[in-house]
Amino acid sequence: MKYLVEPARARSLAISLALAIGCFALLSVVLYAAGAYVLVHSTFRFSRIAAGNIHVDVMVTGNSRARDLLYGNVTGSAPTVFNLAYNGLDRDRAFEWIKTYFLRGNTATTVVMETSSLYSKEAKCDSKPYWVLYPALYAAQRASCPVDAASARYFPLTQFDSEQFLRALYYFAWHPEGDQTWGDEGEIPKRLCAELPLDGVYAFRDFAASVDRALVRRQIAELKQWLASHGYQTRLVFVLAPFFADSRALPEIEQIEASNRELLAGETSLSLATALGADCSSFADAVHQSPEGRRRTFPLLFAKLGLAEP
Amino acid sequence: MSFTAPVFFLFFLVYFVASFLVSRRYWLLLAAVASSYFYAFWDWRFLFLLYYVVAVSWFVGRKLYSTSSEPIRKRYVALSVVSCLGVLAVFKYFDFFISSFTQMTAAFGLQLQPRVAQIVLPIGISFYTFHALSYTIDLYRRKLQRPAGFLSLIVYLAYFPQLVSGPIVRANRFLPQIDRGPVFSTRKVKTGLLIIAWGYFLKVCVADSIPGLIDPIFAAPVDYQSGNLLFAIVAYSFQIYCDFSGYSLIAIGLAKLQGFDFPANFLAPYFSRSFSEFWRRWNISLSSFLRDYLYIPLGGNRHGRWREDRNIMITMFLGGLWHGASYNFIVWGLLHGVYLVLQRLWGLAFGVVRLPAPAGAALSGPVPRAAGMRAPVLRGPARWALSGLQVAGVYALVLLAWVFFRLQSFSDAIGYLQGIARLQALGVINNKFSAVKVVVLIAVTIAVDLVFIRRRNVVRLLNSRVAYAVAIALLAVLIEMFGSFGGGAFIYFQF
């Protein structure tokens, strides 16, 4: 190779690269600190549990169906509720978040777990922004997220490339009141009501068949033992949230309920699957409740849990 | 091996360090071996195909050099063209031709059931065959003074930075650089690093964050509102731009680190004010290749208006077909051909409103004046308003063509356009936060394009130590935060 290196230019290049490395280091530190600050001070649900000052009657977890099951009501009249559900939250992650919630000093007399998330197959790594905040969560997740864990170790800023971080940022910057009223806002339009696509309901047909029942039972037993060993008198209740119970969906719903009965034998398990019927105003789509649906679900669920309606 | 695979960084580091240690003669061997290894990483069997094209080109090159008889030279160059296009025809188009022929005979009531070979498309085939054509045709036209040695030719056809997706670098431009060997120049290293960083940003941050958002929409467009369909096609236009220009920039930057100068392949194409300008800014190496080796040999604009229109349509038809053996690419190419013809006819009928030379013209070369009536040169606010309208109009029609490029069938594309035509507002977006992230990254891309469309801004950045350092650091941080290095394929690999 020929070398066309003029000493002045070589020096200039070396200085430029040294400056670039310095800027990179400075920017990395500043951004990392800023990201951590956002995570700690955000009012997003996963950030909020860090302070350890949540003491409620009911804590709800699960996927988006659990998110739409109940609004949170942390400081209002009893019974109080904290919603820790998140879009697509799978079984493994739900169990890990329950433990994280309690490890941070928060309490709940009843933990409601929506049963759709029990049927999930793959664990996701979208909680990675919170690894920096919750070491136990990192310890639980790093084995199932080896690439993300390695990236986070050597390139810490990669942790912030997650929808959960963007949500934390959103609530930090624009909604200091918190995210406990987050849920589907729409309703099924009347014109679609009779012919609403029910793919969301049908999706559970395969999940029920593919779930590892022995594993789920073991995980439930471990969680109950963990809660007891840490001194929490917490009741674990499994709830099947309402579906758009159109006559076409009834066979599927019965199948899901039958599967739940077998899977959760011996556990406290409730089904609200058909509680709202096929009322369009109560659903945002076939598997998610609308605000009206949530309003109707409150008394039903609290009555079944033996708690007064808020 | 993809530029975004972690193993590539190790590969390049080893190659780059080794380049320092060996003499020019051994560098040729090193580059040939490294490029072959890079290619064989996908499928070693296709190395034989690559070497076949090299061998034919080498043989034809020597024969073209050793004879001065025009008829014989013509025969040799024909051999090269037939060999290269034959490879393309068999490996890229054979199944397409057979299935098209079957469909055609079925339309006449003749039901044939030929065996479809299911030939796997070798990666980069369209690029190295075009490089081979450039070599033999340049020799035939005497733009190259002497044939390349065998190793030099391997490096020219298979040089790993541009082997898979270009840019297509002309033989008369690259072979002299190969003969000279790599040169370590601090200025070029500085420029190369900046180009590579920007290329990676476009690919791993922008392009790779878009598919998760829009692929579900393209898979079932009937489930979405017009606003979502429009959003998806706009995002796709940036996905393909950032993906392809990202690859080109990384290739150009890697070459620059070794002192090789490759031509720019993209120059802010979505700021074009006419379709001819678009094609001087989009995939420049391919469009100039088609112009010099197809459009001009067909007669270009030398034999009357009708012949010019015909030549444009043939060129764009083949340009579309080059992208893949599928009707949607042909429709895309033809649509651009129609745009170019209509633009020419418009100029003839109504005259061309003249504007001062477009920004970036210094980089993309002089903009030919359209034929026809002359109108006064516009300046001031009128100029900006007209420029904005022209850019928006060209972009809208380019988007229309992308619909046919992206959707698998003509009927799907028509259905998609009908969906947009319902003029509904933006419906529910499942990943709102990811969408916001994508919009911000696209906005950054547009802003950078706008600033660096002017060459003097690039020069200023390179000359300012602090600005350069901040730019590199910012890009590195963004790549660290938003980049995914899973070795994902580039869209143009399939072409």
Side-chain angles (χ1 to χ4, degrees):
Chain A
M1 184 185 275
K2 287 180 190 168
Y3 298 91
L4 297 181
V5 184
E6 298 160 37
R9 282 218 165 138
R11 191 167 158 269
S12 168
L13 175 67
I15 293 172
S16 295
L17 292 182
L19 264 176
I21 292 167
C23 282
F24 174 74
L26 185 68
L27 268 174
S28 298
V29 170
V30 169
L31 284 175
Y32 190 77
Y37 184 85
V38 167
L39 287 174
V40 171
H41 292 90
S42 172
T43 51
F44 180 50
R45 55 196 59 196
F46 294 138
S47 293
R48 203 160 161 190
I49 63 174
N53 56 6
I54 301 166
H55 306 286
V56 288
D57 298 307
V58 178
M59 189 269 270
V60 186
T61 189
N63 56 25
S64 56
R65 281 169 46 75
R67 181 204 64 199
D68 286 347
L69 181 65
L70 293 175
Y71 281 134
N73 162 43
V74 178
T75 54
S77 54
T80 48
V81 177
F82 186 75
N83 194 317
L84 194 65
Y86 189 72
N87 300 344
L89 194 76
D90 55 75
R91 181 185 65 233
D92 292 350
R93 298 293 175 255
F95 285 130
E96 287 155 7
W97 274 114
I98 292 172
K99 288 181 185 174
T100 305
Y101 174 87
F102 283 100
L103 278 175
R104 297 300 294 198
N106 307 291
T107 57
T109 47
T110 302
V111 169
V112 168
M113 192 166 175
E114 208 283 327
T115 56
S116 305
S117 51
L118 291 177
Y119 295 112
S120 58
K121 284 180 280 189
E122 289 175 10
K124 294 177 185 165
C125 305
D126 52 357
S127 298
K128 61 184 178 181
Y130 286 97
W131 291 348
V132 60
L133 211 54
Y134 308 126
L137 192 72
Y138 172 68
Q141 296 190 353
R142 69 180 166 196
S144 56
C145 301
V147 174
D148 293 83
S151 303
R153 186 168 178 190
Y154 298 109
F155 305 101
L157 293 179
T158 57
Q159 292 173 80
F160 300 125
D161 184 20
S162 158
E163 189 180 306
Q164 286 186 11
F165 176 74
L166 294 176
R167 284 192 184 276
L169 181 62
Y170 171 73
Y171 286 104
F172 170 80
W174 289 288
H175 288 279
E177 75 277 11
D179 72 337
Q180 289 297 300
T181 54
W182 169 36
D184 270 319
E185 294 300 319
E187 287 181 7
I188 297 170
K190 291 278 182 280
R191 63 188 166 83
L192 285 179
C193 213
E195 293 178 3
L196 185 72
L198 298 174
D199 299 351
V201 184
Y202 300 148
F204 289 100
R205 194 185 319 172
D206 295 334
F207 286 140
S210 64
V211 70
D212 183 343
R213 285 154 203 280
L215 173 68
V216 176
R217 287 190 195 113
R218 195 173 68 234
Q219 286 178 322
I220 293 170
E222 280 172 3
L223 178 64
K224 287 164 78 174
Q225 193 186 8
W226 184 91
L227 287 169
S229 67
H230 283 74
Y232 297 110
Q233 304 297 315
T234 300
R235 181 170 55 146
L236 190 57
V237 179
F238 296 92
V239 174
L240 182 61
F243 286 105
F244 182 74
D246 184 293
S247 58
R248 294 168 298 155
L250 289 178
E252 299 302 332
I253 292 172
E254 280 165 19
Q255 221 175 46
I256 298 165
E257 287 178 325
S259 171
N260 269 356
R261 275 195 295 275
E262 195 217 326
L263 180 68
L264 301 169
E267 306 295 336
T268 311
S269 171
L270 309 171
S271 176
L272 297 174
T274 56
L276 302 182
D279 172 28
C280 283
S281 63
S282 296
F283 289 91
D285 58 40
V287 293
H288 296 106
Q289 295 177 90
S290 65
E292 171 63 14
R294 285 190 280 276
R295 194 192 60 75
R296 289 179 58 193
T297 306
F298 288 148
L300 292 171
L301 180 60
F302 285 112
K304 289 198 175 191
L305 290 175
L307 299 164
E309 185 184 344
Chain B
M1 199 186 310
S2 168
F3 287 165
T4 59
V7 68
F8 174 76
F9 298 99
L10 186 64
F11 164 81
F12 184 74
L13 191 67
V14 170
Y15 164 78
F16 191 61
V17 171
S19 297
F20 277 95
L21 304 175
V22 298
S23 66
R24 193 201 74 82
R25 194 169 141 218
Y26 288 107
W27 172 78
L28 271 180
L29 185 63
L30 173 74
V33 170
S35 298
S36 301
Y37 175 75
F38 178 84
Y39 193 65
F41 208 80
W42 271 292
D43 194 331
W44 61 270
R45 291 169 300 177
F46 290 128
L47 265 185
F48 293 109
L49 193 65
L50 176 65
Y51 287 150
Y52 164 74
V53 174
V54 172
V56 169
S57 306
W58 179 76
F59 172 75
V60 169
R62 298 196 72 83
K63 290 295 178 188
L64 283 171
Y65 183 65
S66 62
T67 180
S68 54
S69 160
E70 274 312 302
I72 295 174
R73 284 168 58 81
K74 211 168 240 177
R75 251 177 268 160
Y76 279 120
V77 83
L79 170 69
S80 161
V81 170
V82 168
S83 298
C84 290
L85 296 184
V87 164
L88 266 184
V90 170
F91 284 89
K92 190 166 179 176
Y93 300 108
F94 185 75
D95 286 350
F96 172 66
F97 289 148
I98 292 290
S99 60
S100 299
F101 180 71
T102 311
Q103 284 169 12
M104 200 171 68
T105 54
F108 292 101
L110 185 60
Q111 296 294 337
L112 297 176
Q113 289 188 321
R115 288 183 68 180
V116 178
Q118 300 288 353
I119 296 170
V120 177
L121 179 68
I123 277 181
I125 189 171
S126 311
F127 290 92
Y128 65 72
T129 48
F130 272 32
H131 275 113
L133 286 174
S134 166
Y135 170 67
T136 50
I137 293 172
D138 281 1
L139 266 175
Y140 173 71
R141 290 176 175 172
R142 295 197 167 82
K143 285 185 176 176
L144 266 179
Q145 298 310 314
R146 58 190 179 82
F150 195 74
L151 277 180
S152 297
L153 200 55
I154 292 181
V155 175
Y156 170 59
L157 295 190
Y159 185 50
F160 67 86
Q162 33 88 287
L163 169 61
V164 179
S165 296
I168 300 166
V169 190
R170 304 293 176 81
N172 60 4
R173 181 163 187 166
F174 191 23
L175 273 170
Q177 297 187 65
I178 292 172
D179 286 342
R180 185 201 63 199
V183 175
F184 185 84
S185 151
T186 46
R187 179 75 178 179
K188 287 186 178 179
V189 168
K190 197 173 173 183
T191 313
L193 287 175
L194 186 66
I195 292 173
I196 290 170
W198 179 238
Y200 272 110
F201 170 79
L202 290 181
K203 167 61 184 166
V204 299
C205 296
V206 188
D208 286 354
S209 61
I210 293 174
L213 209 57
I214 63 171
D215 284 356
I217 298 178
F218 285 113
V222 287
D223 294 346
Y224 293 89
Q225 303 264 85
S226 309
N228 300 57
L229 299 182
L230 193 60
F231 171 79
I233 195 64
V234 169
Y236 179 71
S237 73
F238 281 94
Q239 184 198 348
I240 194 164
Y241 167 54
C242 294
D243 190 281
F244 193 16
S245 68
Y247 182 95
S248 296
L249 286 166
I250 297 167
I252 291 166
L254 291 174
K256 188 115 11 216
L257 289 185
Q258 296 171 78
F260 298 131
D261 289 316
F262 285 2
N265 210 22
F266 290 86
L267 291 168
Y270 294 142
F271 288 105
S272 303
R273 296 182 305 202
S274 69
F275 295 102
S276 44
E277 189 186 342
F278 177 79
W279 282 103
R280 285 192 300 275
R281 292 176 176 278
W282 178 273
N283 201 354
I284 299 164
S285 64
L286 175 68
S287 52
S288 60
F289 184 95
L290 291 174
R291 182 194 63 209
D292 293 348
Y293 295 95
L294 182 63
Y295 175 71
I296 291 174
L298 281 171
N301 58 3
R302 295 187 302 260
H303 303 289
R305 289 168 188 173
W306 156 242
R307 289 281 291 273
E308 185 183 351
D309 291 345
R310 184 204 68 174
N311 295 339
I312 289 173
M313 292 306 292
I314 291 174
T315 306
M316 297 314 291
F317 166 77
L318 291 173
L321 191 61
W322 175 88
H323 282 81
S326 174
Y327 286 112
N328 56 324
F329 297 126
I330 294 174
V331 172
W332 173 77
L334 287 175
L335 208 47
H336 272 282
V338 170
Y339 294 161
L340 289 166
V341 169
L342 289 179
Q343 176 189 298
R344 201 183 65 76
L345 294 175
W346 176 276
L348 288 173
F350 302 108
V352 177
V353 177
R354 290 189 301 142
L355 298 164
L363 289 170
S364 61
V367 180
R369 250 197 333 246
M373 292 164 11
R374 292 280 183 84
V377 175
L378 288 180
R379 294 195 184 279
R383 171 199 165 185
W384 289 107
L386 185 65
S387 279
L389 278 176
Q390 285 174 325
V391 168
V394 169
Y395 179 65
L397 289 170
V398 167
L399 271 190
L400 173 69
W402 282 135
V403 173
F404 291 92
F405 192 91
R406 176 61 179 77
L407 274 294
Q408 293 300 313
S409 72
F410 188 77
S411 57
D412 284 350
I414 295 295
Y416 195 94
L417 290 172
Q418 284 171 339
I420 292 177
R422 286 199 301 264
L423 297 177
Q424 298 150 324
L426 197 65
V428 175
I429 295 177
N430 287 332
N431 304 311
K432 280 190 211 84
F433 287 86
S434 303
V436 169
K437 183 182 99 175
V438 163
V439 169
V440 170
L441 290 173
I442 288 175
V444 170
T445 306
I446 293 172
V448 172
D449 266 359
L450 259 177
V451 172
F452 293 108
I453 201 169
R454 292 179 190 282
R455 195 190 185 100
R456 67 166 182 265
N457 290 340
V458 180
V459 174
R460 269 185 204 157
L461 180 64
L462 286 169
N463 285 340
S464 162
R465 214 176 265 164
V466 174
Y468 176 84
V470 170
I472 289 273
L474 261 177
L475 285 171
V477 161
L478 287 171
I479 290 167
E480 183 187 344
M481 275 182 94
F482 300 118
S484 64
F485 285 87
F490 289 77
I491 293 177
Y492 262 65
F493 278 15
Q494 62 187 296
F495 306 139

